[in-house]
Amino acid sequence: MQGIQFIGTQRSGSNLLRLMLNQLPAISAPHPPHILSTFIPLIEGYGEFESTQSFNTLVKDVLNWVKANPVAWTNWDMDESEIISRIHDNSIESLFAAIYELKALRDEASMWCCKSLANVQFVDRIERKNIHPIYIHLVRDGRDVACSFKNAIVGPKHVYHLAKKWSYEQRLAHEVGLKYPGRYVLIKYEDLIEHPSQEVERICDAVGIAYSPQVMNYYKSKESEITAKSGDMWKNVINPVIADNRYKYREGLSQDEIGLFNQVAGSELKQYGYDLESDRGILEIDNGQIQRYNDENDLLIQGAKNSASTTDKALRKPQEELLAKIKNRIYSYEL
């Protein structure tokens, strides 16, 4: 089954695009539980997967993780044996693909779509397992991405860390385009909100399916309703496209923050056609300055968690508790 994998950096309009594509009968695009980025760092703790028991434990953990996703999956009733029967080898990558394939079958779709942009870090691992998706590189002005992250419950909060993250992930996504040009589509967020039908048509042409005007009714869909109720970060997905949703950083970031972002990620901003508007920056970023940025980032992250809404905290709690339980078991086993 053909897959579609988003790559790039979060807060770039990926939920908007996901919900649009989910309107097409051929595509199943559930909200991502971030399977690979969550479990790849834990894989060694499960032991050798030649052991059926070890791999079955992973399968059980991942399925429980999906069930605990803040945005619930509809048509989700599969069990461990059904998943295992579709896996070609005992690996987290094959497990990831099998889950998305079965979800697509439940949705009577011929393609799966994963919007977990962090998977840009795992493209080589995915490809080595004979999983060959079409990659959609969704890129947004990194300074607007930084503004969005500063107001979100997830991710770094200091502009230095946000600029490092954005520039790094754009470089990785660019490399994917160089390696797999026939399976790579670049979509700029600013073009998507200005010409949504045209940009989605480009994707449809790339994946070989027919475009439908129904994509523009995404905000009326049940999936949009479920997503909007699942966290403050996604509350806008029940609204039509906001065509002028850009340049937020001009008010959301200070001139020093804009200068710092430009200094760290200026090359990537210019590569994707974003005007730096200012070359203002600090003279030097030394180790002492970076440590101060680290300390400030930690405080800002904690502040964001403390100020999160009761609803956000409650919806994320099941996954947090499950992850803590898994880590407890793994690290206790290792000891």
Side-chain angles (χ1 to χ4, degrees), residues 119-180:
N119 285 355
V120 70
Q121 301 175 57
F122 311 120
V123 167
D124 287 345
R125 296 180 64 126
I126 292 170
E127 292 285 334
R128 283 198 296 269
K129 294 299 180 179
N130 290 318
I131 304 165
H132 305 303
I134 294 167
Y135 296 101
I136 298 179
H137 178 190
L138 186 57
V139 59
R140 181 185 186 185
D141 188 319
R143 295 158 298 189
D144 277 344
V145 170
C147 277
S148 186
F149 262 117
K150 288 182 75 172
N151 297 317
I153 191 174
V154 299
K157 297 289 173 277
H158 195 283
V159 165
Y160 173 78
H161 297 82
L162 290 164
K164 294 282 284 186
K165 173 182 175 64
W166 185 83
S167 61
Y168 172 64
E169 290 175 339
Q170 302 318 306
R171 291 196 300 272
L172 288 181
H174 178 67
E175 290 173 8
V176 173
L178 295 178
K179 285 183 179 179
Y180 311 108

Side-chain angles (χ1 to χ4, degrees), residues 4 6 40 54 80 102 139 152 154 169 174 184-185 201 204 239-240 291 298 304 322 326 331 335:
I4 299 170
F6 289 9
I40 283 177
S54 294
E80 295 167 43
L102 272 175
V139 59
V154 299
E169 290 175 339
H174 178 67
Y184 171 88
V185 183
E201 280 192 71
C204 289
N239 298 320
Q291 185 57 54
D298 291 342
L322 176 60
I326 292 170
Y331 297 146
L335 291 174

Side-chain angles (χ1 to χ4, degrees), residues 3 46 51 78 99 120 129 145 156 161 176 188 206-207 241 245 268 272 277 284-286 294-295 307 318:
Y46 283 89
S51 163
M78 61 193 72
I99 288 173
V120 70
K129 294 299 180 179
V145 170
H161 297 82
V176 173
K188 289 185 67 173
V207 302
V241 174
N245 191 33
E268 288 72 34
Y272 292 104
E277 298 183 1
E284 184 179 0
I285 304 175
D286 57 25
N294 290 341
D295 294 341
S307 62

Side-chain angles (χ1 to χ4, degrees), residues 18-272:
R18 171 184 79 85
L19 291 165
M20 287 179 165
L21 295 182
N22 198 56
Q23 289 291 95
L24 298 168
I27 298 178
S28 168
H31 185 274
H34 304 298
I35 293 170
L36 296 183
S37 60
T38 301
F39 284 91
I40 283 177
L42 305 176
I43 283 300
E44 290 187 4
Y46 283 89
E48 297 296 327
F49 284 155
E50 283 76 7
S51 163
T52 301
Q53 182 178 354
S54 294
F55 188 68
N56 287 355
T57 299
L58 174 67
V59 172
K60 183 176 181 179
D61 286 346
V62 173
L63 289 181
N64 285 335
W65 179 257
V66 175
K67 289 175 185 176
N69 196 44
V71 183
W73 280 20
T74 57
N75 300 327
W76 178 253
D77 59 353
M78 61 193 72
D79 58 28
E80 295 167 43
S81 61
E82 190 174 15
I83 289 290
I84 290 171
S85 69
R86 295 187 62 86
I87 294 173
H88 303 299
D89 70 330
N90 289 358
S91 69
I92 183 62
E93 296 84 7
S94 294
L95 173 56
F96 155 79
I99 288 173
Y100 272 89
E101 286 176 4
L102 272 175
K103 178 64 169 74
L105 291 175
R106 291 288 193 274
D107 292 338
E108 299 182 350
S110 57
M111 296 181 182
W112 56 263
C113 175
C114 175
K115 92 153 198 79
S116 187
L117 293 108
N119 285 355
V120 70
Q121 301 175 57
F122 311 120
V123 167
D124 287 345
R125 296 180 64 126
I126 292 170
E127 292 285 334
R128 283 198 296 269
K129 294 299 180 179
N130 290 318
I131 304 165
H132 305 303
I134 294 167
Y135 296 101
I136 298 179
H137 178 190
L138 186 57
V139 59
R140 181 185 186 185
D141 188 319
R143 295 158 298 189
D144 277 344
V145 170
C147 277
S148 186
F149 262 117
K150 288 182 75 172
N151 297 317
I153 191 174
V154 299
K157 297 289 173 277
H158 195 283
V159 165
Y160 173 78
H161 297 82
L162 290 164
K164 294 282 284 186
K165 173 182 175 64
W166 185 83
S167 61
Y168 172 64
E169 290 175 339
Q170 302 318 306
R171 291 196 300 272
L172 288 181
H174 178 67
E175 290 173 8
V176 173
L178 295 178
K179 285 183 179 179
Y180 311 108
R183 290 189 279 117
Y184 171 88
V185 183
L186 174 65
I187 299 289
K188 289 185 67 173
Y189 172 77
E190 294 79 11
D191 293 336
L192 179 64
I193 60 175
E194 187 172 354
H195 307 291
S197 297
Q198 180 179 318
E199 293 303 296
V200 176
E201 280 192 71
R202 287 181 54 222
I203 294 172
C204 289
D205 288 344
V207 302
I209 62 173
Y211 171 80
S212 168
Q214 186 64 20
V215 299
M216 296 307 299
N217 292 324
Y218 71 90
Y219 61 96
K220 300 177 183 177
S221 69
K222 184 67 175 177
E223 182 68 19
S224 287
E225 180 184 345
I226 293 171
T227 303
K229 290 179 178 178
S230 301
D232 289 343
M233 291 197 305
W234 311 305
K235 60 186 179 183
N236 285 333
V237 299
I238 53 171
N239 298 320
V241 174
I242 304 171
D244 61 348
N245 191 33
R246 63 179 76 190
Y247 303 131
K248 299 294 184 181
Y249 70 88
R250 290 175 177 173
E251 294 183 359
L253 300 181
S254 70
Q255 285 301 307
D256 285 340
E257 287 177 317
I258 294 171
L260 178 57
F261 197 104
N262 290 349
Q263 186 168 347
V264 173
S267 295
E268 288 72 34
L269 285 169
K270 289 187 286 187
Q271 178 181 352
Y272 292 104

